Amino acid sequence: MKNEFYEMLCEEGAALIDGEPNMVANLSNAAALLGERLENINWAGFYLMDHGQLVLGPFWGKPACLRIAPGRGVCGTAVQKDENLRVEDVHDFAGHIACDAASASEIVLPLHRDGRVIGVLDIDSPVTARFTQQDEQGLDAFARVIEKGCRTGVFGYDLK
């Protein structure tokens, strides 16, 4: 059943970005879609690389940290390692950045363009161990769909 959910989520995400090259517009709709469709989450959004650090991008949820250095927190570690990170209990993650004290688990998936990390998809939950391997696979597929909508840069540069 989860596979069908994520297939539908990917289809919905692809439909939202179809024909629109602007990254901000596409990431905004993607964050809103995740916020509406995923259960037991309290934040979903994007951090984007700008001059060597992650900067807050479009999101759904409470206000968040503005800048994160590579290697810092879950998002920065995912960028530094260039790999998905699924954290069952953020309180056990050394260096976790607590933007919302209600967050208990987190998943972060790097986004790429032309072979380099351009940002991350970050999703938080108030439920410990909210994200399973199946969630990671489904959200990774969603992130790959959204990457395709990241053709025009958010900070005034073109990502073609």
Side-chain angles (χ1 to χ4, degrees):
M1 183 147 176
K2 264 194 180 180
N3 287 338
E4 291 173 4
F5 170 81
Y6 283 113
E7 286 175 17
M8 180 62 73
L9 188 69
C10 287
E11 289 174 17
E12 291 173 11
L16 283 173
I17 66 173
D18 185 39
E20 177 53 59
N22 186 274
M23 180 192 290
V24 173
N26 291 332
L27 296 182
S28 295
N29 268 339
L33 177 64
L34 292 169
E36 289 294 316
R37 300 277 278 125
L38 292 176
E39 295 180 356
N40 296 318
I41 67 164
N42 59 334
W43 201 90
F46 300 90
Y47 280 91
L48 305 169
M49 293 302 295
D50 181 33
H51 295 94
Q53 61 182 329
L54 290 166
V55 176
L56 180 64
F59 68 92
W60 172 92
K62 291 182 178 182
C65 305
L66 294 174
R67 295 181 179 271
I68 301 172
R72 188 163 176 259
V74 181
C75 290
T77 303
V79 165
Q80 186 176 57
K81 293 182 174 185
D82 190 10
E83 63 185 39
N84 296 345
L85 285 183
R86 184 168 35 102
V87 179
E88 291 188 358
D89 187 342
V90 295
H91 305 292
D92 292 338
F93 188 91
H96 174 254
I97 302 168
C99 293
D100 182 349
S103 293
S105 61
E106 183 172 4
I107 188 166
V108 178
L109 307 105
L111 301 172
H112 301 87
R113 188 71 180 163
D114 298 329
R116 64 187 171 103
V117 176
I118 60 166
V120 297
L121 167 57
D122 179 22
I123 306 171
D124 296 347
S125 172
V127 177
T128 303
R130 156 62 178 89
F131 304 104
T132 66
Q133 179 66 33
Q134 198 172 18
D135 291 313
E136 182 177 349
Q137 291 170 344
L139 290 167
D140 188 72
F142 182 81
R144 303 297 73 86
V145 167
I146 299 306
E147 277 178 343
K148 295 174 186 172
C150 295
R151 293 186 294 260
T152 302
V154 67
F155 299 110
Y157 56 88
D158 194 359
L159 293 174
K160 288 182 188 174

